[in-house]
Amino acid sequence: QRFSVSLGNLYVPQYYKPDPAGTDVVLFFHGAAWCAEQNFFDAKKNAVLVSVSMSLPDYARVFADADAYRQIIRATEQKLIDEVVTSSPVRNICLSSFSGGYSAIRELLKHEDLLSSVTDVVLADSLYAPRKGDGPPDYATLQPFVEYAKRAAAGECGFWFTQLYPP
């Protein structure tokens, strides 16, 4: 099933079984929703997927405000109730991105109050430092990922990333 939610598209695979303990959500940034849905379906995870795709500069601008994230989560919970999928609240959230979608995750990881809800981060060819003009990469922009990686190394959360070609 597919539904529109705040800033994105909600996908509920046919094998999804509601869990009274809570709903697991993968929040995916940047790319064709159909492609993310196919990979999600093939993974057979008992979760729902929300795909958000916008222009690259908009990710950082929109998600610098933590309310955009909260709005997506609230809208997802409400749509799942309205469509009689589940009334269980969101429990675990995996932030995932392709390519430039990482900038949404970078902004979200800056919000200390959101970190307890994020159980995993998965970046597909999606972790790099932007350049300022013709200058060197701005490595300071990676600090939110460094801090999250430290938490993952301590066993507090999961963190995976792949890189095809580092710019």
Side-chain angles (χ1 to χ4, degrees), residues 61-79:
R61 181 184 56 76
V62 170
F63 292 100
D65 182 352
D67 284 338
Y69 170 85
R70 290 185 193 98
Q71 181 182 4
I72 291 171
I73 300 307
R74 282 192 306 267
T76 299
E77 287 177 327
Q78 190 59 54
K79 183 58 79 169

Side-chain angles (χ1 to χ4, degrees), residues 26-29 94-98 102 105 118 120-126 145 148 158-162:
V26 174
L27 184 52
F28 175 76
F29 298 96
C94 171
L95 300 178
S96 179
S97 65
F98 171 70
Y102 82 95
I105 296 175
V118 177
D120 300 280
V121 169
V122 178
L123 307 172
D125 194 21
S126 192
F145 294 106
Y148 193 83
F159 184 44
W160 298 267
F161 69 95
T162 64

Side-chain angles (χ1 to χ4, degrees), residues 32-104:
W34 68 266
C35 186
E37 290 169 6
Q38 183 61 55
N39 286 302
F40 190 77
F41 181 86
D42 291 345
K44 299 284 190 258
K45 299 293 184 187
N46 193 42
V48 300
L49 171 72
V50 177
S51 297
V52 176
S53 195
M54 53 184 62
S55 69
L56 292 178
D58 287 340
Y59 289 117
R61 181 184 56 76
V62 170
F63 292 100
D65 182 352
D67 284 338
Y69 170 85
R70 290 185 193 98
Q71 181 182 4
I72 291 171
I73 300 307
R74 282 192 306 267
T76 299
E77 287 177 327
Q78 190 59 54
K79 183 58 79 169
L80 291 170
I81 291 169
D82 293 348
E83 298 296 334
V84 194
V85 174
T86 183
S87 59
S88 298
V90 169
R91 169 181 53 187
N92 297 317
I93 299 172
C94 171
L95 300 178
S96 179
S97 65
F98 171 70
S99 189
Y102 82 95
S103 60

